Amino acid sequence: MDGGGVAPTTTASWLARHREMYKRATRHPFTVSIRDGTVDLAAFKRWLGQDYMFVQEFVAFLASVLLKCCKQSESSDMEIILGGLASLSDELSWFKKEAAKWSVDLAGVSPLSSNMEYRRFLQSFGEPEISYTVAITTFWIIETVYQDSFAFCIEEGNKTPPELLGTCQRWGSPEFKQYCQALQQITDRCLANAPSDAVKSAEEAFLRVLDLEVGFWDMSSPERQQNPQKPSTVQLLE
Ligand SMILES: Cc1ncc(CO)c(N)n1
């Protein structure tokens, strides 16, 4: 119980229990190097091309989440998820403009292994067996990792290069934070009404996303890609 005697929500308890893993995902050397102005622009360009490919897969993932929502949940959830799906159209246009600015040929980008692993994970949500609770939890933490990572790059005292501020503001903005908080409220409502096996699966998905996000940031720098894959947290739990 916190000082006010209110039990923490499930997502708050996970963020506390797995704070080290969460920090590895949201204070990664790549995003910290953006904040302190030492980022290697080749790493940024590699991230840009790979994230464009991720977002292309994210569209289908979000459609899967929306379908699961429509089959069982409240219409207010549907409108929030639909808003996220609709925003991806503008996001893909943003990637194309940003790639042109940095002379990144998106047509010539192929997914690196960490991206292919993440995309396979997203594709698995097309399976009807995966519950809406697990799907909305996954959507919430995917968005929250980016919001927290890039908010850090535009916080007081940052030395983020001016030419990268647009990228950081895209995901680091207070408006996107509000959107992530809305997703967190939906997630906690679903978890509070879910059977224990669904809650366990949702926590495993939460940890899997953190692991995949670390791998995704690692991909931006070749030297970090070569690190042997340590067992992911979920594998350790199995
Ligand atoms: C890898 C990754 N995670 C999260 C987001 C946020 O949508 C993104 N664009 N890319």
Side-chain angles (χ1 to χ4, degrees), residues 49-71:
Q50 292 299 313
D51 210 42
Y52 172 69
M53 304 205 73
F54 172 90
V55 172
Q56 288 183 312
E57 195 63 55
F58 198 55
V59 172
F61 164 76
L62 220 37
S64 301
V65 179
L66 185 61
L67 185 59
K68 294 177 195 293
C69 172
C70 294
K71 285 181 174 172

Side-chain angles (χ1 to χ4, degrees), residues 80 140 176-187:
I80 289 172
W140 158 67
F176 190 56
K177 180 170 183 152
Q178 282 173 353
Y179 184 73
C180 293
Q181 288 170 335
L183 294 179
Q184 187 171 11
Q185 284 163 11
I186 296 172
T187 299

